[in-house]
């Protein structure tokens, strides 16, 4: 399979001197679904902010996305290929209406008006939120906000979808709906989450992080079965696996 | 949590609501200019303007009580400015100017209340944008409208957290706590700004604000332009003789 994300030796230090990433190596192929798990402050979010160049390595390392080196020249093009959905929908949805938020990305890609409208309504249809175009974001429910957030990047038709805590703050029904929705999206998907059950269901491969390093990279089921490994890294085996083992 | 929205009555269905935001902005602005430039003792002119704007209020179906409350909100500010006028000028003249300032400001405020309460905020911004107002200003207003409620929520949550652990007592300490909350609110707003900018950058924002224009004039707009501007023009010309 063709490599779509190539990260080698990535290091990042926060302005306050705290090391956030240390020698991270990660290769992801086209069509893979990868979960990134780890304790709070393990560097998961920092890592995904590097994937579309919002943060840049400041301590060595290199990133290549779809054969493009991460630099000032390529960063805009890379961003149009990667849909990054932030954890908090309030940060993701900043426009007065849903339509303006969903069309924000395509407009920045300098697409024609018809194309923008076409893509925006297609994206809203995909997350089953057609008809919400003229609603304002602060009147929506948490589940609706999450869906719209995903639509705001789907409208850009990205090759890679990166989601930060997609299932947080959702009630079980809306969480289930979101998981089913993500299953339908056939793209390279990276999911950062504490919701291990969701990762188990959605991702074949998992990257386990701790203190800015990748501890283990392998099959989701293999990693989550390993009780010792999980507990050493402040996690625990998902209940569904535990029940199977016992 | 509950907030009163600026455009609470913008969902009603009336002639004024149906107008294009640009129509309302231009005609009401013209109305305000006409009101302000009229002679201080020309009471007939003021009366005619009042009839016009009250007709608009009536047509808009916005509850009178709401409009009245809105007007009351600005009265203290006008009073603060105007209250010294009678003392600065001798005899009758001061009071005439005072009354004049009051009438003019109430009429002008009525027009702006009509503009803001019969138009959805995002449409109002769109209208200003199409009338070539600076995009950066419009963007600031749009962010303000989007995030002011979230900030209020955040403040209310912090207040609640304080109340649930605060058992009364030292007055001075309470002031200190309030100051902390205000400081924290500022930092949180700043950090949220950073995150919003990140999410904008992630979707290809490069400093150029690109938007789509979706407004269209209808027949009603043209009739309204002609009738409204026609009437205030007639009043103005009449008053010159």
């Amino acid at each position: 399979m063709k490599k779509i994300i190539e990260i080698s030796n990535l290091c990042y230090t926060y302005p306050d001197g705290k090391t956030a990433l240390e020698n991270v190596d990660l290769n992801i192929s086209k069509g893979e679904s990868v979960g990134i798990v780890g304790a709070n402050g393990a560097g998961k979010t920092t890592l995904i902010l590097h994937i579309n160049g919002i943060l840049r390595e400041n301590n060595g390392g290199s990133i290549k996305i779809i054969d493009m080196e991460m630099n000032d020249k390529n960063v805009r093009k890379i961003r149009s290929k990667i849909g990054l959905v932030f954890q908090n929908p309030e940060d993701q949805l900043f426009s007065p209406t849903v339509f303006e938020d969903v069309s924000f990305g395509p407009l920045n890609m300098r697409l024609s008006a018809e194309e923008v409208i076409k893509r925006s309504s297609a994206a809203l249809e995909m997350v089953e939120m057609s008809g919400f175009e003229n609603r304002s974001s602060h009147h929506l429910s948490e589940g609706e906000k999450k869906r719209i957030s995903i639509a705001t990047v789907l409208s850009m038709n990205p090759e890679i979808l990166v989601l930060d805590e997609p299932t947080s703050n959702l009630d079980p029904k809306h969480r289930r709906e979101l998981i089913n929705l993500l299953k339908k999206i056939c793209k390279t998907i990276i999911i950062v989450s504490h919701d291990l059950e969701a990762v188990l269901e959605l991702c074949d491969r998992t990257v386990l992080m701790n203190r800015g390093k990748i501890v283990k990279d392998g099959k989701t089921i293999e990693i989550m079965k390993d009780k010792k490994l999980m507990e050493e890294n402040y996690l625990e085996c998902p209940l569904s696996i535990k029940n199977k083992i016992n | 949590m509950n907030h009163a929205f600026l455009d609470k009555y913008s969902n009603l269905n009336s002639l004024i609501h149906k107008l294009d935001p640009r129509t309302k902005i231009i005609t009401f602005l013209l109305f305000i200019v006409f009101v302000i430039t009229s002679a201080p003792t020309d009471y007939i002119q003021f009366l005619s303007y009042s009839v016009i704007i009250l007709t608009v209020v009536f047509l808009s179906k916005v509850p009178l009580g709401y409009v009245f409350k809105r007007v009351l909100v600005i009265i203290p500010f006008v009073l603060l400015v105007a209250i010294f006028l009678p003392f600065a000028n001798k005899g009758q003249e001061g009071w005439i100017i005072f009354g004049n300032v009051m009438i003019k400001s109430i009429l002008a405020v009525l027009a702006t209340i009509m503009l803001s309460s019969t138009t959805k905020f995002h449409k109002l911004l769109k209208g200003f944008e199409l009338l070539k107002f600076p995009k950066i200003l419009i963007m600031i207003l749009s962010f303000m409208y989007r995030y002011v409620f979230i900030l209020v929520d955040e403040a209310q949550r912090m207040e609640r957290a304080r109340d649930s652990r605060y058992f009364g007592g030292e007055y001075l300490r309470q002031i200190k706590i309030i100051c902390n909350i205000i400081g924290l609110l500022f930092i949180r707003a700043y950090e949220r700004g950073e995150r919003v900018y990140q999410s904008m950058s992630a979707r290809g924002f490069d400093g150029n604000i690109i938007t789509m224009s979706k407004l269209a004039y209808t027949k009603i707009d043209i009739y309204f332009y002609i009738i409204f501007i026609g009437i205030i023009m007639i009043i103005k010309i009449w008053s010159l003789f």
Side-chain angles (χ1 to χ4, degrees):
Chain A
M1 265 300 201
K2 196 175 161 280
K3 275 183 196 159
I4 198 165
I5 296 175
E6 294 164 76
I7 300 173
S8 61
N9 246 330
L10 182 68
C11 298
Y12 182 79
T13 312
Y14 271 116
D16 64 0
K18 201 181 130 221
T19 306
L21 295 176
E22 224 180 316
N23 297 324
V24 170
D25 285 299
L26 183 65
N27 290 317
I28 293 174
S29 308
K30 202 175 160 126
E32 262 191 306
S33 52
V34 181
I36 300 179
V37 299
N40 292 327
K44 306 175 301 262
T45 303
T46 314
L47 177 62
I48 59 164
L49 286 177
H50 278 84
I51 293 177
N52 74 350
I54 282 176
L55 294 179
R56 302 282 188 84
E57 55 82 18
N58 57 6
N59 220 344
S62 74
I63 300 173
K64 232 172 156 184
I65 311 284
I66 323 177
D67 296 324
M68 285 182 284
E69 200 73 46
M70 178 68 73
N71 55 31
D72 288 336
K73 211 180 92 217
N74 286 337
V75 71
R76 278 184 49 77
K77 207 148 174 229
I78 289 174
R79 280 178 183 166
S80 70
K81 300 280 179 204
I82 293 178
L84 179 56
V85 182
F86 287 78
Q87 179 175 357
N88 190 345
E90 305 287 12
D91 300 337
Q92 184 87 19
L93 307 173
F94 47 78
S95 307
T97 63
V98 166
F99 177 80
E100 279 167 90
D101 254 319
V102 179
S103 63
F104 183 81
L107 279 172
N108 283 327
M109 291 162 81
R110 310 289 198 273
L111 298 172
S112 68
E114 296 130 59
E115 184 69 17
V116 170
I117 293 172
K118 209 177 98 194
R119 282 198 184 192
S120 305
S121 32
L124 282 172
E125 209 181 301
M126 225 162 145
V127 297
E128 288 159 24
M129 294 297 280
S130 300
F132 279 69
E133 282 86 348
N134 287 321
R135 297 275 295 273
S136 60
S137 315
H138 62 257
H139 291 160
L140 301 175
S141 77
E142 200 65 26
E144 290 167 340
K145 280 184 202 165
K146 284 263 179 188
R147 282 151 171 262
I148 304 281
S149 298
I150 293 173
T152 61
V153 302
L154 285 180
S155 62
M156 295 165 73
N157 200 12
E159 293 202 20
I160 306 164
L161 198 59
V162 186
L163 304 143
D164 195 354
E165 293 286 1
T167 55
S168 67
N169 281 333
L170 290 182
D171 56 55
K173 179 172 172 275
H174 287 110
R175 173 179 169 275
R176 175 51 48 202
E177 283 175 3
L178 193 83
I179 289 175
N180 291 343
L181 171 75
L182 290 175
K183 275 183 186 164
K184 277 194 299 187
I185 297 170
C186 306
K187 288 182 191 295
T188 311
I189 294 188
I190 300 174
I191 295 173
V192 172
S193 189
H194 286 304
D195 184 353
L196 300 177
E197 294 282 0
V199 172
L200 184 64
E201 204 170 325
L202 288 166
C203 306
D204 302 322
R205 179 179 160 198
T206 290
V207 174
L208 177 58
M209 289 186 78
N210 196 2
R211 296 197 186 137
K213 287 185 201 158
I214 291 184
V215 181
K216 185 100 181 170
D217 180 352
K219 276 213 153 116
T220 304
I221 187 96
E222 300 294 326
I223 290 178
M224 295 202 180
K225 238 170 36 184
D226 193 339
K227 196 171 171 224
K228 190 163 160 271
L229 176 75
M230 293 293 273
E231 277 169 13
E232 269 172 12
N233 293 291
Y234 311 101
L235 300 172
E236 62 175 6
C237 301
L239 217 55
S240 58
I241 291 188
K242 245 190 215 164
N243 291 343
K244 260 183 222 161
I245 297 170
N246 294 336
Chain B
M1 303 200 187
N2 299 319
H3 313 293
F5 293 101
L6 186 62
D7 47 4
K8 198 165 137 196
Y9 289 104
S10 61
N11 277 325
L12 297 177
N13 185 17
S14 81
L15 177 81
I16 308 296
H17 286 79
K18 276 186 202 135
L19 292 173
D20 188 288
R22 286 171 291 180
T23 314
K24 284 185 259 189
I25 294 168
I26 293 173
T27 50
F28 291 174
L29 203 67
L30 212 64
F31 175 81
I32 292 172
V33 171
F34 275 35
V35 167
I36 290 169
T37 54
S38 48
T41 49
D42 198 344
Y43 297 115
I44 296 167
Q45 210 185 147
F46 286 133
L47 193 70
S48 335
Y49 288 138
S50 313
V51 170
I52 291 171
I53 198 69
L54 286 175
T55 314
V56 172
V57 173
F58 185 67
L59 281 175
S60 75
K61 295 183 191 162
V62 176
L64 278 175
Y66 173 79
V67 177
F68 184 64
K69 261 190 233 156
R70 270 290 160 85
V71 174
L72 276 188
V73 171
I74 63 101
I75 297 269
F77 296 99
V78 181
L79 265 181
L80 202 70
V81 177
I83 196 70
F84 300 106
L85 287 171
F87 306 106
N89 296 283
K90 269 185 219 155
Q92 276 268 292
E93 203 183 331
W95 287 105
I96 290 172
I97 301 173
F98 174 76
N100 189 38
V101 169
M102 287 305 279
I103 292 171
K104 282 181 178 176
S105 50
I106 287 173
L107 286 174
V109 163
L110 273 173
T112 39
I113 289 170
M114 274 299 104
L115 178 63
S116 64
S117 58
T118 63
T119 322
K120 284 215 169 113
F121 199 75
H122 69 95
K123 282 201 175 153
L124 193 63
L125 290 181
K126 197 100 232 167
F128 276 114
E129 191 188 316
L130 291 175
L131 292 170
K132 303 278 178 254
F133 271 65
K135 275 193 174 173
I136 189 87
L137 269 181
I138 290 164
M139 202 154 190
I140 291 171
L141 282 173
S142 130
F143 280 134
M144 180 211 77
Y145 188 69
R146 173 71 183 88
Y147 287 107
V148 71
F149 303 109
I150 292 177
L151 269 181
V152 172
D153 274 347
E154 220 152 277
Q156 282 178 351
R157 276 202 298 271
M158 278 195 266
E159 224 183 327
R160 214 178 266 171
R162 179 204 62 180
D163 288 345
S164 63
R165 285 174 292 167
Y166 178 74
F167 312 106
E170 297 159 68
Y171 187 65
L172 243 156
R173 211 176 131 235
Q174 196 175 357
I175 292 175
K176 206 179 140 196
I177 296 169
I178 291 172
C179 291
N180 282 343
I181 288 181
I182 293 170
L184 210 58
L185 206 58
F186 180 77
I187 293 168
R188 286 194 187 177
Y190 177 80
E191 284 180 345
R192 185 180 293 279
E194 292 270 287
R195 289 199 303 273
V196 171
Y197 179 69
Q198 281 185 351
S199 96
M200 290 171 77
S201 306
R203 282 187 268 159
F205 181 69
D206 56 1
N208 293 314
I209 304 150
I210 309 163
T211 48
M212 282 166 76
S213 45
K214 280 192 304 181
L215 295 178
Y217 281 126
T218 60
K219 254 188 202 161
I220 307 174
D221 290 296
I222 296 162
Y223 291 145
F224 191 80
Y225 265 124
I226 295 170
I227 294 170
F228 193 90
I229 295 179
I231 292 175
I232 57 175
M233 282 293 233
I234 290 168
I235 295 170
K236 197 84 209 172
I237 293 165
W238 189 269
S239 73
L240 292 176
F241 296 108

